[in-house]
Amino acid sequence: MSDETNAFHLYNLLRRDRMDPRRTIRAFDHFTSMSIDDTTLDPTDWEIVQDAGATAQIGPMAGKAGGWFQVACDGDDNDECYAASRAEAWIFNTTQPAMFETRIEHTAGSTDGKSSFVLGLSDTVAANTIADAGTLVASFDGALFFKGEDDAGIQFVTSNAATPVTTASAIAWTDADVVRLGFVYDPGDGTTGKITPIVNGAAGDSHDIVISGLAEMHVLFGTKTHEDAVEQVLEIDWYEVIQRVA
């Protein structure tokens, strides 16, 4: 069975079993409602990491059917904003397959390309997850989709600590495109797992990942401005994570 065929097989199995709490753990949000802190106006279910120059425009989006979650930063050079699930509920382990999927729109608001965004599962939630140079943090555990500064494509990156594997252009990117991004984790032989990106329903090349030492992960969404561009806006229609437990 090819990696692509196996990935879709696991994807379909996990989605079939997703409503059975005896077999899977699942997180899904369509952002039709959100609890907001009265003082900061930040969503209370998410850990927010942002620099002092951010506009903190984080919350359900008006005018979007079904509810959207916005993570935005303003146009100052190296301004950034990240939203991460408070719980580290997910791990690439030796026995339990998992999947992540989301539907997003990113709007740079200009044609200069001086913007970047990141999303997926990661143990790391910190300032400069996207470096000021427009590159991704060098060390993390997890699997992320990443558009770097000036990039015309979205990269798919998996990593065990400081050993990232990158598919440089998992998907071509155009400003304000709405795309569905996801991946499937297969624990394989229990020593080396496989993570296969699935972009708009099509599987890409799988990445091998050494399982030993991997840490628990958050759901992560973030965006960053580079070189005094205009405001960056990452909007999330929905996300889903499923992991087999039995």
Side-chain angles (χ1 to χ4, degrees):
M1 184 182 295
S2 69
D3 290 345
E4 178 180 338
T5 301
N6 188 57
F8 275 117
H9 178 65
L10 276 178
Y11 174 89
N12 289 327
L13 285 178
L14 288 165
R15 289 187 60 80
R16 183 197 66 186
D17 296 337
R18 69 187 184 278
M19 299 307 294
D20 186 347
R22 297 165 297 182
R23 304 196 67 180
T24 62
I25 52 174
R26 178 189 187 234
F28 179 88
D29 202 337
H30 221 314
F31 305 110
T32 55
S33 63
M34 184 175 287
S35 176
I36 302 294
D37 184 274
D38 289 339
T39 301
T40 65
L41 302 182
D42 288 342
T44 56
D45 291 338
W46 294 80
E47 178 182 353
I48 306 303
V49 177
Q50 58 189 344
D51 65 276
T55 56
Q57 293 177 331
I58 307 163
M61 288 297 297
K64 296 264 192 180
W68 288 65
F69 179 36
Q70 177 178 269
V71 179
C73 57
D74 66 21
D76 295 338
D77 192 10
N78 298 323
D79 194 52
E80 61 185 353
C81 189
Y82 306 99
S85 60
R86 293 192 177 277
E88 294 178 298
W90 320 101
I91 187 168
F92 297 146
N93 63 22
T94 60
T95 59
Q96 296 163 326
M99 60 161 286
F100 167 89
E101 193 168 28
T102 187
R103 184 173 183 263
I104 63 102
E105 176 181 348
H106 181 266
T107 304
S110 67
T111 59
D112 60 13
K114 300 297 184 181
S115 65
S116 53
F117 64 86
V118 64
L119 60 92
L121 298 179
S122 174
D123 71 321
T124 300
V125 180
N128 293 318
T129 294
I130 301 172
D132 289 350
T135 57
L136 189 61
V137 62
S139 180
F140 71 96
D141 287 354
L144 295 170
F145 288 93
F146 169 65
K147 191 201 86 69
E149 181 182 3
D150 292 324
D151 285 354
I154 299 174
Q155 304 173 23
F156 180 61
V157 186
T158 59
S159 183
N160 182 332
T163 55
V165 177
T166 301
T167 298
S169 293
I171 179 176
W173 176 79
T174 301
D175 189 33
D177 272 358
V178 176
V179 296
R180 201 170 84 245
L181 303 172
F183 53 80
V184 175
Y185 168 72
D186 179 355
D189 61 6
T191 299
T192 303
K194 288 189 178 294
I195 307 178
T196 305
I198 299 178
V199 176
N200 290 328
D205 294 335
S206 64
H207 293 188
D208 289 342
I209 189 167
V210 175
I211 299 170
S212 178
L214 289 170
E216 295 84 359
M217 300 171 293
H218 308 259
V219 178
L220 174 66
F221 297 100
T223 188
K224 190 164 189 170
T225 300
H226 303 283
E227 298 185 30
D228 296 317
V230 298
E231 181 178 275
Q232 312 302 313
V233 183
L234 177 65
E235 296 172 307
I236 303 99
D237 183 13
W238 53 262
Y239 84 90
E240 182 176 41
V241 189
I242 305 170
Q243 185 154 27
R244 181 74 58 77
V245 294

Short mmCIF file of all heavy atoms in Angstrom, two decimals, residues 105-111 115 173-178 232-233:
data_model
loop_
_atom_site.label_atom_id
_atom_site.label_comp_id
_atom_site.label_asym_id
_atom_site.label_seq_id
_atom_site.Cartn_x
_atom_site.Cartn_y
_atom_site.Cartn_z
N GLU A 105 -8.17 31.27 5.60
CA GLU A 105 -7.91 32.32 4.62
C GLU A 105 -6.89 33.27 5.23
O GLU A 105 -7.03 33.68 6.39
CB GLU A 105 -9.19 33.07 4.28
CG GLU A 105 -8.99 34.26 3.33
CD GLU A 105 -10.28 35.01 3.03
OE1 GLU A 105 -11.36 34.49 3.37
OE2 GLU A 105 -10.20 36.11 2.46
N HIS A 106 -5.85 33.61 4.47
CA HIS A 106 -4.88 34.58 4.94
C HIS A 106 -4.88 35.77 3.99
O HIS A 106 -4.74 35.60 2.78
CB HIS A 106 -3.47 33.99 5.02
CG HIS A 106 -2.45 34.97 5.52
ND1 HIS A 106 -1.70 35.75 4.67
CD2 HIS A 106 -2.09 35.32 6.77
CE1 HIS A 106 -0.90 36.53 5.39
NE2 HIS A 106 -1.12 36.29 6.67
N THR A 107 -5.00 36.96 4.58
CA THR A 107 -5.02 38.18 3.78
C THR A 107 -3.87 39.08 4.21
O THR A 107 -3.85 39.57 5.35
CB THR A 107 -6.35 38.94 3.94
OG1 THR A 107 -7.42 38.05 3.59
CG2 THR A 107 -6.39 40.16 3.04
N ALA A 108 -2.92 39.29 3.32
CA ALA A 108 -1.80 40.17 3.61
C ALA A 108 -2.19 41.63 3.41
O ALA A 108 -1.57 42.53 3.98
CB ALA A 108 -0.60 39.83 2.72
N GLY A 109 -3.18 41.87 2.58
CA GLY A 109 -3.66 43.23 2.38
C GLY A 109 -2.80 44.05 1.45
O GLY A 109 -3.00 45.25 1.29
N SER A 110 -1.80 43.43 0.84
CA SER A 110 -0.94 44.14 -0.10
C SER A 110 -0.30 43.10 -1.01
O SER A 110 -0.44 41.90 -0.82
CB SER A 110 0.15 44.92 0.64
OG SER A 110 1.05 44.03 1.27
N THR A 111 0.43 43.56 -2.02
CA THR A 111 1.06 42.64 -2.97
C THR A 111 2.57 42.55 -2.77
O THR A 111 3.28 41.98 -3.59
CB THR A 111 0.79 43.10 -4.41
OG1 THR A 111 1.29 44.44 -4.58
CG2 THR A 111 -0.70 43.09 -4.70
N SER A 115 4.82 39.05 4.41
CA SER A 115 3.96 38.48 5.45
C SER A 115 4.26 37.00 5.59
O SER A 115 4.85 36.38 4.71
CB SER A 115 2.48 38.67 5.08
OG SER A 115 2.18 37.92 3.90
N TRP A 173 0.49 29.47 -3.19
CA TRP A 173 -0.32 30.36 -2.37
C TRP A 173 -0.56 31.67 -3.08
O TRP A 173 0.34 32.26 -3.66
CB TRP A 173 0.38 30.63 -1.03
CG TRP A 173 -0.36 31.62 -0.18
CD1 TRP A 173 -1.47 31.39 0.59
CD2 TRP A 173 -0.07 33.00 -0.03
NE1 TRP A 173 -1.88 32.55 1.21
CE2 TRP A 173 -1.03 33.56 0.85
CE3 TRP A 173 0.92 33.84 -0.55
CZ2 TRP A 173 -1.03 34.90 1.21
CZ3 TRP A 173 0.92 35.18 -0.19
CH2 TRP A 173 -0.05 35.69 0.68
N THR A 174 -1.82 32.13 -3.03
CA THR A 174 -2.21 33.43 -3.53
C THR A 174 -2.93 34.16 -2.42
O THR A 174 -3.76 33.57 -1.71
CB THR A 174 -3.15 33.30 -4.75
OG1 THR A 174 -2.49 32.57 -5.77
CG2 THR A 174 -3.54 34.67 -5.28
N ASP A 175 -2.61 35.44 -2.25
CA ASP A 175 -3.22 36.23 -1.19
C ASP A 175 -4.74 36.10 -1.21
O ASP A 175 -5.38 36.19 -2.27
CB ASP A 175 -2.82 37.70 -1.35
CG ASP A 175 -3.25 38.55 -0.17
OD1 ASP A 175 -3.25 38.02 0.95
OD2 ASP A 175 -3.58 39.73 -0.37
N ALA A 176 -5.31 35.85 -0.02
CA ALA A 176 -6.76 35.74 0.20
C ALA A 176 -7.36 34.45 -0.35
O ALA A 176 -8.59 34.32 -0.40
CB ALA A 176 -7.51 36.95 -0.34
N ASP A 177 -6.53 33.48 -0.75
CA ASP A 177 -7.05 32.16 -1.08
C ASP A 177 -7.67 31.51 0.16
O ASP A 177 -7.15 31.67 1.28
CB ASP A 177 -5.93 31.25 -1.58
CG ASP A 177 -5.71 31.36 -3.07
OD1 ASP A 177 -6.44 32.12 -3.72
OD2 ASP A 177 -4.79 30.68 -3.57
N VAL A 178 -8.74 30.77 -0.02
CA VAL A 178 -9.28 29.91 1.03
C VAL A 178 -8.83 28.49 0.73
O VAL A 178 -9.08 27.97 -0.36
CB VAL A 178 -10.82 29.98 1.09
CG1 VAL A 178 -11.36 29.02 2.12
CG2 VAL A 178 -11.26 31.41 1.41
N GLN A 232 -1.69 42.03 8.80
CA GLN A 232 -1.82 40.64 8.37
C GLN A 232 -3.01 40.00 9.09
O GLN A 232 -3.16 40.17 10.31
CB GLN A 232 -0.55 39.85 8.69
CG GLN A 232 0.73 40.53 8.26
CD GLN A 232 0.75 40.83 6.79
OE1 GLN A 232 0.42 39.96 5.98
NE2 GLN A 232 1.12 42.04 6.42
N VAL A 233 -3.83 39.25 8.38
CA VAL A 233 -5.01 38.64 8.97
C VAL A 233 -5.08 37.16 8.57
O VAL A 233 -5.15 36.84 7.39
CB VAL A 233 -6.31 39.35 8.51
CG1 VAL A 233 -7.52 38.73 9.19
CG2 VAL A 233 -6.24 40.84 8.82
#
